[in-house]
Amino acid sequence: MNASVQLIRPSRHGDTRGWFTETYNRDTFAALGIECSFVQDNHSLSAPQWTLRGLHWQTPPHGQDKLVRCIRGRIYDVAVDVRKDSPTYGEWVGAELSAKNGHQLFIPIGFAHGFLTLEPDCEVVYKCSNLYSPANDGGIRWDSAGIDWPMPTGTALELSGKDKLLPTLAEFDSPFPYDGRPLAPLA
């Protein structure tokens, strides 16, 4: 069975030199129900504040579980349930990920993923459980799932041309099956 969306808070061990943290350990993650194998790492830089990337996924059979963290700056990271027949279809959860807090968000297959940069020059890295497949690349519009993005009213967002053309959630016919786990609030 797939793991649910989870906010991961790795421990940091610090001293006068700084800190050390373990961002991924197969056995630790398996104890949380996250048993996917990661095969690709991605790294993005979003220079302007209020850059919004998403909401994206890869369709079966090339779906991707993702483990996302922000290594410079601050982002608001979200996951939207897009699993057909899920009782929480269209619902979302979000969390602030930052270089300072070190939190990570695990997003399983069947969820749309996106993030908003809360300051300039944000770098985001994430692990994926499947390789990138352009033919399976998909998404929905950032403003079609009722997400309460933390930005001032009237903010001019930086969006890619591709993201501006994505269909709305209402127009989307999901190929993702429901796995029996409704979306739950982040602990």
Side-chain angles (χ1 to χ4, degrees), residues 49-50 52 74-78 92 94-96 115-119 142 147-153 155 157:
Q49 182 178 18
W50 311 124
L52 197 144
R74 294 182 309 123
I75 64 168
Y76 190 68
D77 203 39
V78 300
W92 62 276
E96 184 174 303
F115 64 86
L116 173 69
T117 62
L118 303 176
E119 56 190 59
W142 67 274
I147 297 167
D148 186 16
W149 296 102
M151 61 186 171
T153 302
T155 298
L157 293 174

Side-chain angles (χ1 to χ4, degrees), residues 59-82:
T59 56
H62 300 284
Q64 292 178 319
D65 299 297
K66 296 177 181 175
L67 180 61
V68 182
R69 63 190 174 106
C70 181
I71 62 169
R72 182 167 67 160
R74 294 182 309 123
I75 64 168
Y76 190 68
D77 203 39
V78 300
V80 179
D81 189 349
V82 293

Side-chain angles (χ1 to χ4, degrees), residues 17-82:
R17 301 167 296 160
W19 52 261
F20 170 84
T21 190
E22 186 176 83
T23 59
Y24 177 75
N25 176 298
R26 183 189 61 213
D27 294 343
T28 302
F29 276 65
L32 297 171
I34 301 170
E35 299 191 58
C36 59
S37 297
F38 293 113
V39 298
Q40 178 176 312
D41 284 358
N42 297 332
H43 186 159
S44 72
L45 167 67
S46 299
Q49 182 178 18
W50 311 124
T51 295
L52 197 144
R53 295 180 184 261
L55 300 161
H56 304 141
W57 59 70
Q58 277 192 185
T59 56
H62 300 284
Q64 292 178 319
D65 299 297
K66 296 177 181 175
L67 180 61
V68 182
R69 63 190 174 106
C70 181
I71 62 169
R72 182 167 67 160
R74 294 182 309 123
I75 64 168
Y76 190 68
D77 203 39
V78 300
V80 179
D81 189 349
V82 293

